[in-house]
Amino acid sequence: MTVSPDIQQRITQLREQLREAGYAYYVLDDPIMPDAVYDKLYRELQDLEQQHPELVTPDSPTQRVGDKPAEQFISVQHNIPLYSLENAFDEGELRKWEERWKRQTPDIAETGEFEYVCELKIDGSAIALTYKNGILTRGVTRGDGTTGEDITQNIRTIRSIPLKLSLENPPEQVEIRGEAFLPLDEFERINKERETQGEKLFANPRNAAAGTLRQLDPKIVDQRRLDFFAYTLYIPSDPNFHPQTQWESLEVLQQMGLRVNPNRKICANLGEVQAYFQDWETKRRELSYLTDGVVVKLNSIPLQQQLGFTQKFPRWAVALKYPAEEVPTVVQDITVNVGRTGAVTPMAIMNPVQVAGTTVQRATLHNQDRIAELDIRIGDTVIIRKAGEIIPEVVRVLEGMRPPGTQPYTMPQNCPECNSELVRPEGEAVIRCVNSSCPAILKGSVLHWASRDALDINGLGEKLVEQIVRTRLVRSVADLYGLRVEELTQLERVGRKSAEKLVAAIEGSKKQPYARVLYGLGIRYVGKVNAEVLTQAFPTIEQLQCASVDGLENVYGVGLEIAKSVWQWFKIEANQELVKRLQDEGLRFNQGVENKGEFAGSKVLEGKRFVITGTLPSLSRKEAERLIKDAGGKVTSSVSKNTDYLLAGEKAGSKLEKAEKLNVFILSEDGLRDMLE
Ligand code: IVH
């Protein structure tokens, strides 16, 4: 298809506008257009690119998230090795470091003509980016410093990393190093989501960032909003262009469109460095990301080159670390907590203490193995720390302070809630209660069912759930639908009005879509996104129930672990019964006619002729046909010059070729939905 210069120009213009808007939003944190305008421009570009796939370029803002998960990551050699930093934990060690570099360059030491740049040490994962002629071509993990893994697909999803440098005449090759990290609110959001899915929590944002970068599926990486600060610039193709100081490098990086941490400072001597370090020791608590220290670098790049590297570290830089806050306290009790998935977690209850700005009274002891390793006992004085300054944990026991007569702690054999025998599945460290009617599990299941992203039942809070489970008014999630106002008003502190409201809210939840219902069932690993994907692939619960592990795994985004978990869940008779009862109560277990006919009535496609070809991402051919017909369009089977649109999915063959020849407008499923909207 020939493309008119107008279209080409519009595409270029849209890309520029979107790039600028993205830069303002993600790098400067200072948006220049409302989200709705951005989305509109984005969709326009997406449509134009869909109609003219030959014009798609890898640096287009639409090309951030790849379609296919990687099978594995490939090891690659770094263009320039990534060194790590020597640590200094106090002033003495910092002075020793200065003495050492000064000894190597006595002339500089004598004249005193040097300065330091202090930067915050960001607690994330180092990555190396390569830009060729201004275009991002490669992103690699640090690995062992010489070889790392090629994670370009994942790096591309980080919005503060430009796909194209904003330089008029970019050098042939630019190497940029920096730290990929997870902002604290995003870290908390991810952990909350993992908790509801019964997945292991990330101990701190650093682990979460590293784990996310090594995810094979770029769609998952995209959902976890990683961010990036650039701190090192190399221009191997054009050394003369290279800035002469670290300070200038940071400014050039910023001009190139990268995010550079603003909290940097030039310091003339170690006294000023110490002042900066102390200043940030408290101020860092207000930042939206974690920093575990300050990196001190000699500013002059020629001086850096003169000093060079040891086996592992640059001689011209050092990391001055903040001590991890460790605080002693006394263990009052050790209890176990039974979660929604039946996992039994031991917790230490301690005299409340302040750690890293918050009051801590409980700390996880993880499992029996960890308890044995610590030999923690009630009455012990322990040191607690916030791992990555987020989740409190017991670091060690001060055995010398142990009072007489203490006993080693052992985990209970029976569930503290229902007394059934606990089991430790082979190969796992967790102990579980496997009694599906255990009140603790039931309580967790009801709370999850009622939660905002599931059935969103207002008024069904922790206290009330505890009451309805304890009084056995509710023995299964399905019992919620039989609750009567009279029964609820019998409970402590439940008035008639709130009971009526609650019954109405429970009734109202029957209108919630199938995906929310599926999520609400609390199947391990089936979070919001997976529930959405599964309900699209299996539009009725019967189809999902009958699906094999293979069939489930074939759904895009569903891995083997998820597939197995869903399959196993439906094999359990009690779960089949639960679904049946909920179905009888009128909950939605299919995509529903309402969904398919959501555009019925609008005749926006009046008189338009469509041909459908290939596999569409979420609609079956029949469903697409119905949508088109409902909106007044016609569907025919072969492409001719009278065809207005070819609705094309994957593996579209000869019809697509013919449509292109005849200049027929080619439409994706998203394009069709946009038209209908
Ligand atoms: S400079 C040769 N600057 O800290 C230069 N590193 O413990 C080495 N880091 O591997 C890196 N913030 O991942 C530098 N402003 C910063 C940094 C920083 C965080 C990380 C980096 C490095 C690790 C060393």
Side-chain angles (χ1 to χ4, degrees):
M1 231 194 289
T2 50
V3 180
S4 79
D6 281 359
I7 290 183
Q8 232 157 21
Q9 223 175 9
R10 180 68 185 148
I11 289 184
T12 313
Q13 189 188 33
L14 283 168
R15 284 183 188 153
E16 256 339 291
Q17 283 175 336
L18 289 169
R19 205 168 282 139
E20 261 176 46
Y23 175 71
Y25 188 93
Y26 292 106
V27 178
L28 303 181
D29 199 11
D30 186 11
I32 52 170
M33 63 173 72
D35 290 359
V37 176
Y38 182 93
D39 292 345
K40 194 161 167 276
L41 297 176
Y42 187 91
R43 250 178 293 153
E44 186 185 342
L45 177 61
Q46 224 175 11
D47 286 351
L48 286 174
E49 287 179 345
Q50 234 146 30
Q51 289 154 29
H52 305 283
E54 71 282 8
L55 297 184
V56 177
T57 56
D59 62 312
S60 170
T62 59
Q63 303 301 303
R64 283 216 174 251
V65 190
D67 268 347
K68 287 200 189 72
E71 284 189 2
Q72 60 178 72
F73 296 121
I74 297 172
S75 285
V76 288
Q77 190 98 10
H78 284 298
N79 295 328
I80 301 163
L82 264 84
Y83 286 85
S84 150
L85 291 169
E86 186 185 348
N87 287 326
F89 288 99
D90 56 38
E91 206 180 326
E93 290 185 2
L94 184 66
R95 293 214 175 278
K96 276 204 189 113
W97 167 75
E98 182 178 73
E99 279 163 24
R100 238 177 299 135
W101 77 254
K102 279 189 170 174
R103 226 175 294 132
Q104 231 193 309
T105 50
D107 40 336
I108 305 268
E110 227 164 82
T111 59
E113 278 173 20
F114 66 87
E115 51 193 12
Y116 295 118
V117 175
C118 284
E119 296 168 24
L120 293 183
K121 187 170 180 307
I122 313 298
D123 205 7
S125 249
I127 50 175
L129 309 174
T130 304
Y131 287 83
K132 292 231 161 112
N133 300 312
I135 305 291
L136 176 69
T137 53
R138 201 174 89 155
V140 183
T141 59
R142 179 173 183 279
D144 63 4
T146 317
T147 336
E149 286 177 313
D150 187 328
I151 50 159
T152 314
Q153 261 217 125
N154 292 347
I155 298 286
R156 291 175 65 91
T157 68
I158 305 177
R159 301 303 193 276
S160 49
I161 294 183
L163 298 178
K164 186 180 172 197
L165 296 177
S166 52
L167 281 180
E168 283 281 319
N169 294 308
E172 200 179 303
Q173 190 174 337
V174 174
E175 288 282 321
I176 293 170
R177 272 83 205 274
E179 204 79 353
F181 64 96
L182 269 173
L184 287 169
D185 54 354
E186 185 62 3
F187 167 72
E188 277 165 26
R189 187 193 65 75
I190 294 168
N191 259 355
K192 244 187 217 145
E193 195 178 273
R194 290 173 80 86
E195 199 173 9
T196 59
Q197 291 175 32
E199 284 178 58
K200 202 169 161 240
L201 301 191
F202 286 121
N204 53 50
R206 186 180 355 104
N207 291 0
T212 303
L213 286 170
R214 297 195 68 262
Q215 266 287 335
L216 291 170
D217 187 348
K219 290 218 164 88
I220 295 179
V221 184
D222 182 45
Q223 283 160 22
R224 304 195 191 149
R225 292 299 170 115
L226 284 164
D227 209 332
F228 179 77
F229 280 126
Y231 48 66
T232 305
L233 170 70
Y234 295 107
I235 310 180
S237 61
D238 194 354
N240 294 333
F241 185 81
H242 206 289
Q244 292 300 294
T245 62
Q246 167 65 6
W247 189 260
E248 215 188 310
S249 293
L250 296 173
E251 283 178 343
V252 172
L253 283 165
Q254 213 163 323
Q255 283 153 19
M256 288 176 166
L258 285 125
R259 188 160 184 223
V260 176
N261 194 290
N263 309 309
R264 51 191 188 260
K265 191 167 189 282
I266 292 190
C267 294
N269 52 51
L270 290 192
E272 287 183 24
V273 168
Q274 281 291 347
Y276 173 90
F277 178 75
Q278 275 157 18
D279 189 27
W280 279 101
E281 182 148 24
T282 43
K283 275 207 306 206
R284 70 194 173 119
R285 311 239 176 275
E286 287 150 36
L287 296 171
S288 57
Y289 47 86
L290 280 189
T291 150
D292 57 340
V294 164
V295 183
V296 188
K297 300 173 184 173
L298 275 163
N299 194 18
S300 156
I301 304 249
L303 180 52
Q304 286 185 6
Q305 281 162 348
Q306 201 181 330
L307 286 165
F309 297 83
T310 67
Q311 282 286 321
K312 274 161 84 186
F313 311 124
R315 293 195 181 89
W316 43 266
V318 71
L320 193 50
K321 301 275 288 245
Y322 290 116
E325 252 194 85
E326 294 189 349
V327 185
T329 183
V330 175
V331 178
Q332 296 170 346
D333 197 4
I334 298 175
T335 61
V336 291
N337 181 44
V338 188
R340 174 173 67 81
T341 58
V344 176
T345 317
M347 307 278 286
I349 314 292
M350 302 154 306
N351 290 343
V353 274
Q354 284 278 318
V355 194
T358 57
T359 308
V360 171
Q361 190 171 15
R362 298 156 72 87
T364 173
L365 295 171
H366 301 286
N367 50 49
Q368 175 68 63
D369 294 351
R370 179 69 183 146
I371 288 180
E373 197 185 325
L374 285 168
D375 184 20
I376 186 170
R377 305 177 186 194
I378 296 169
D380 267 346
T381 299
V382 292
I383 298 292
I384 57 164
R385 174 172 69 194
K386 276 176 138 191
E389 308 197 8
I390 302 289
I391 300 171
E393 64 173 4
V394 176
V395 188
R396 61 184 173 276
V397 172
L398 302 180
E399 275 179 38
M401 295 177 76
R402 177 169 286 165
T406 59
Q407 296 297 320
Y409 178 82
T410 43
M411 292 278 280
Q413 306 277 312
N414 294 71
C415 173
E417 298 275 348
C418 70
N419 208 30
S420 64
E421 206 174 319
L422 298 172
V423 294
R424 182 170 176 171
E426 224 184 276
E428 283 192 35
V430 259
I431 296 180
R432 284 182 196 280
C433 173
V434 288
N435 167 16
S436 58
S437 50
C438 166
I441 299 178
L442 180 58
K443 214 174 95 186
S445 308
V446 174
L447 280 169
H448 176 69
W449 177 262
S451 66
R452 241 184 54 198
D453 292 331
L455 278 292
D456 194 16
I457 304 174
N458 246 333
L460 206 50
E462 186 123 8
K463 285 221 171 78
L464 190 63
V465 172
E466 150 66 39
Q467 281 178 294
I468 53 178
V469 169
R470 188 167 29 84
T471 53
R472 301 181 74 78
L473 275 177
V474 167
R475 295 172 198 209
S476 140
V477 167
D479 290 341
L480 287 174
Y481 294 88
L483 279 177
R484 285 178 295 121
V485 174
E486 294 69 40
E487 286 170 333
L488 288 166
T489 50
Q490 304 283 307
L491 301 171
E492 246 173 76
R493 266 179 254 168
V494 181
R496 184 156 194 97
K497 250 211 176 114
S498 56
E500 280 171 359
K501 263 196 186 158
L502 180 62
V503 170
I506 293 174
E507 185 62 24
S509 73
K510 292 182 182 171
K511 292 206 189 82
Q512 294 286 18
Y514 173 31
R516 277 175 173 260
V517 176
L518 182 62
Y519 170 65
L521 292 175
I523 304 171
R524 201 163 175 207
Y525 304 129
V526 179
K528 269 184 308 178
V529 178
N530 286 331
E532 196 68 56
V533 169
L534 285 168
T535 52
Q536 272 176 24
F538 303 96
T540 68
I541 194 87
E542 288 76 19
Q543 285 168 302
L544 186 62
Q545 256 166 336
C546 296
S548 63
V549 173
D550 271 358
L552 288 160
E553 206 196 346
N554 274 337
V555 177
Y556 178 69
V558 176
L560 181 61
E561 218 170 356
I562 306 171
K564 272 200 209 151
S565 164
V566 173
W567 185 81
Q568 274 162 359
W569 195 90
F570 282 110
K571 285 284 143 290
I572 296 171
E573 214 169 297
N575 294 337
Q576 291 168 14
E577 248 162 57
L578 174 66
V579 170
K580 174 88 193 34
R581 278 195 61 200
L582 289 168
Q583 260 176 326
D584 292 344
E585 292 292 352
L587 281 125
R588 287 173 58 169
F589 279 98
N590 58 56
Q591 288 288 50
V593 239
E594 296 91 312
N595 268 359
K596 287 181 204 154
E598 62 193 312
F599 306 114
S602 67
K603 297 283 174 209
V604 284
L605 303 182
E606 194 75 68
K608 300 283 181 227
R609 283 164 193 270
F610 283 76
V611 173
I612 307 173
T613 183
T615 315
L616 299 171
S618 78
L619 293 171
S620 71
R621 216 171 261 233
K622 276 233 153 60
E623 284 166 336
E625 200 172 319
R626 164 120 188 248
L627 284 179
I628 294 168
K629 285 186 177 160
D630 281 347
K634 276 203 177 119
V635 180
T636 59
S637 57
S638 58
V639 179
S640 75
K641 61 179 191 317
N642 294 328
T643 310
D644 295 295
Y645 297 99
L646 177 76
L647 176 60
E650 262 198 48
K651 299 211 182 97
S654 59
K655 284 186 187 163
L656 180 62
E657 274 172 37
K658 193 162 177 200
E660 277 174 349
K661 251 191 222 144
L662 293 172
N663 256 348
V664 168
F665 208 95
I666 294 156
L667 203 61
S668 66
E669 182 184 314
D670 277 351
L672 174 70
R673 287 186 185 275
D674 284 350
M675 282 173 85
L676 291 166
E677 270 165 19

